[in-house]
Amino acid sequence: MALVPYEEGGGWAARQLHSPSATFHFASRTIRLQQDWRRLGVAAVVWDAAVVLCAYLEMGGIDVRDRSVIELGAGTGLLGIVVTLLGKGFFCEPCPLSPLGARVTITDRAAALEFLESNVQANLPPELRPRAVVKELTWGKDLDKFSPGEFDFILGADIVYLEETFAELLQTLEHLCSERAVILLSCRIRYERDLKFLKMLRERFSVSEVHYDSSKDVHIYKAQRGSCKDDF
C-alpha cells in the first residue's frame, strides 16, 4: 500500500521486480500486468504473496461467487483481477451480469489508482469489467466511503510490512468486516514487527493459518470476528 522503496534481495527476484511487466496464468486466462518500480515502488510490482493467494483461491480455498469482496493495497491488481475471474458465476446472453458473480472492489492509495485501473481494464473481459470497481482507500482515512460491514471477504497480499500503518490497517479491517466476514491475509514473515501485527490482529479477531507455501515462504492467515468460524 505504501508507495515506498523496499529491499527484497538481489539476483533473479530483483530483476523480476524491476521488469516493466509480468505474466501469470490463472482462471484459464493469461494475465499480463504492467509494473513500474521506479515511479511507484512496492505498489507497482507483483509480490509472491499475491501469487500464492491467487493460487489458493484457484484451488478452491473460498468460493467468492455471489459475494462482495474487497482487496486492500492492491498494487498491480493481480489478486483483484483473479478474484473477479474466479467469481464470474454463470453467464447467459440476455443477462451478462449474473447475480452469481462476485462483486469486487479493488483499492489502493490515490497515487496508484491510474496504474491499477489500467491493469484491471486490460485483463478483464468486457462483460466482467462492471464487476470490478477500482476505488481509493487510504487505511484509516477514507472509511466514510465504505459502509460498515459491507464486505463478505477482505483480502490483502503482502500489506503487512510498515509498522506505522498497523493501527490504521486494523481500524480499516474492523470497519469493513461484517460479523460473518472472512479476512485472508497472505504474507511473508520478514521481520519481528510482522509478528507484532499478527499479535495485534489476534487481539481483535479469531486468527488461524490456513495455508503455507514453503517454496515461497508465504503464509495465508484467516481472521474472523470473535469466535465466528463459519466458512462461506
Side-chain angles (χ1 to χ4, degrees), residues 26 46-55 71 78-79 157-158 186 218:
F26 288 108
V46 177
W47 298 90
D48 283 343
V51 178
V52 171
L53 186 48
C54 286
E71 181 189 3
L78 175 63
L79 179 56
D158 231 341
S186 177
V218 169

Side-chain angles (χ1 to χ4, degrees), residues 180-182 204-206 222-226 228-231:
R180 294 187 63 248
V182 173
R204 294 163 172 82
F205 298 94
S206 176
K222 180 175 77 171
Q224 294 178 272
R225 285 192 180 277
C228 177
K229 296 183 180 180
D230 294 336
D231 290 318

Side-chain angles (χ1 to χ4, degrees), residues 2 11 34 54 59 64 91 93 95 114 139 167 180 191 208:
Q34 298 304 307
C54 286
M59 291 186 298
V64 298
F91 291 87
E93 193 64 31
C95 52
E114 182 180 356
W139 301 337
R180 294 187 63 248
Y191 306 110
S208 60

